[in-house]
Amino acid sequence: MPLSKKKIGIVCPYGWDTPGGVQSHVGDLAEYLIRQGHHVSVLAPAIDDEKLPDYVTSAGRPISIPYNGAVARILFGPIAFSRVRQWIQAGDFDVLHLHEPAIPSISLLACWAAEGPMVGTFHAAAKRQKVSFAVVPFLEPVIEKLTARIAVSEAARETLREHLETDAIVVPNGIYASRYSDAHVDPRWTGNTLGFMGRFEEKRKGLDILIAALPTIISQIPDLRIFVAGPGDSKEVLKDIDPYLRDRFSFLGRISESEKADFLASVGLYIAPNTGGESFGIILAEALAAGASVIASDIPAFDSLLGHGDFGTLFTSEDPADLARQVIALLQDEPGRRAIAERGKIFAQNFDWEVVAEKIYDVYEMAMVGGNGVSLLSENRAWNRFLGRQQ
Amino acid sequence: MSKYFPLILFILFIGWYLSYSATRLDRLHHRVETSWANLDGLLQRRAAIAIEIARSDISDPASAMLLTFAAHQARDASFRDRSQAEMGLTGALGILIESADDISGPIEKDLILELTDLTAKIKMAIAMHVEAVSRTHMVRKKWFIRVFRLAGNAPEPVTYEFEGDVL
């Protein structure tokens, strides 16, 4: 791809030490670009500076604050701001890639401080909140500085349009598709099994909807078993379940990346009953890449990822009766299920990093046209001179 | 003296805000120009590829003529007629590619591949340009920007009517 090697600066707003979608996206993207021969530097908050990969620079310790219905580990304030400015100054980047620049974080600070080719990626999909009326006038001139905007999904693009009245190019999140398509089928998990992954204690992951649908499903599929992978306290969940359902559940806890691939490739049906709060649904892309049959709630993110039902089955969100009906139909129709999964596996190649990173790099290239690299904003420079700060 | 202090602060703030807004507007105008230059370059490349396709074995004499004509028209069009001409070229290319599904020969395949690549980039470039133009329009409409003539002599950017999705 690249004829010339570029210096690329990426800002990740969330703490590097905590696992999360944005963090792994940034990490994978940075590693891909480095393999292509570019110079990549990532700026992110981090608790432990020692454990960071070479390409990550710490911006300081993140603070946990509640934001948008979850606890976000982010960072801002004057010290962070001066770190951001130092990093931009020292990096001498050709292009700056800011993730989630519309939340109070180092991404926003970087967007404020820098000038030149800048690309912003918007991950979140959220309903319009009252407070955004108050912050939009401040955000607008800052977000406007982005040369190009990327949204990870149609849902994120819609959010951006509603909140900030600006459009974006949709480039999906990336996965390493080969990791999943080469997965091994593990007989422990095959048969009439349902697979579920994620922090099952969180209400929006929708495990309780699956549980509500179970009695109906089991009346038709007596040998059904359910495997739940992900961190959480299984006793809490099990104690509210009807005793005769309990022994059908197996909780696997947190599983490794390779186990995850095998898990997705093996289960009879992968189920994602999420009730909302998803912007992209990377796990569904991974499940498709592994060749799994997928059933998911029809929330906007899943609906568009599954091609409105072409690559996986959709059920009415938060409706256990519909879920039960669809699961029974799918488990009783092996050839039909396989056919959808085969289509999905091919479709999932679109999410491979080879494709996604090239698209992102295309956006970089466009942003870089006519730009002479990233520098600190001249306004700030004038003030710095005035205040006698060192450049 | 101290009773004028808030007033002085206020005037200073107004001054800062005006200079800030002027910088913002200047940046937007700059973006309109660079994004247009980018789009223009890509469209020129597309016209060049179209002519190459016309000369290759993909096209029969009739569509070759049509394509060459459309490509030259797109290249020579004035700014005003540009979008019309580019859409004409899009149409001509579309007809050709749809009808020629059994394209053989490595050179022809490369051409088609390059064209699809370019089309994706053009779509992005259009999105970026349209965004820059509409932003600039929006900011220019603000009353204080008009009253203080912060846009200066910069010409009003022209919305490029390109139906991005027809490509």
Side-chain angles (χ1 to χ4, degrees), chain A residues 225-247:
Chain A
R225 284 170 305 145
I226 301 107
F227 293 99
V228 179
D233 184 4
S234 54
K235 289 195 194 86
E236 278 298 304
V237 180
L238 282 172
K239 89 173 188 268
D240 299 330
I241 305 179
D242 213 322
Y244 85 98
L245 290 175
R246 270 182 211 161
D247 53 344

Side-chain angles (χ1 to χ4, degrees), chain A residues 343-359:
Chain A
R343 284 204 298 272
K345 194 166 182 174
I346 295 163
F347 175 66
Q349 293 301 319
N350 290 328
F351 302 115
D352 190 54
W353 273 114
E354 295 279 338
V355 180
V356 172
E358 292 294 318
K359 276 192 193 158

Side-chain angles (χ1 to χ4, degrees), chain A residues 112 115 140-141 144-149 164-167 169 362-363 365-367 369-370 377 379 383, chain B residues 16 19-20 23-24 27-28 30-31 34 37-38 42 120-122 124-125 127-128 131 135 138-139 142:
Chain A
W112 172 266
E115 192 172 38
E140 221 167 46
E144 202 175 79
K145 286 167 69 183
L146 296 169
T147 326
R149 277 150 287 259
L164 294 163
E165 290 170 13
T166 151
D167 207 351
I169 302 157
D362 280 348
V363 179
E365 265 189 335
M366 295 215 168
V369 172
L377 188 60
E379 279 167 1
W383 281 105
Chain B
W16 171 81
S19 108
Y20 171 77
T23 320
R24 179 182 171 191
R27 192 161 48 222
L28 280 172
H30 182 71
R31 258 237 327 270
T34 49
N38 183 18
L42 290 171
K121 281 190 183 168
I122 289 173
M124 283 200 290
M128 279 167 66
E131 169 74 22
R135 277 273 139 191
M138 228 178 72
V139 174
K142 297 194 177 190

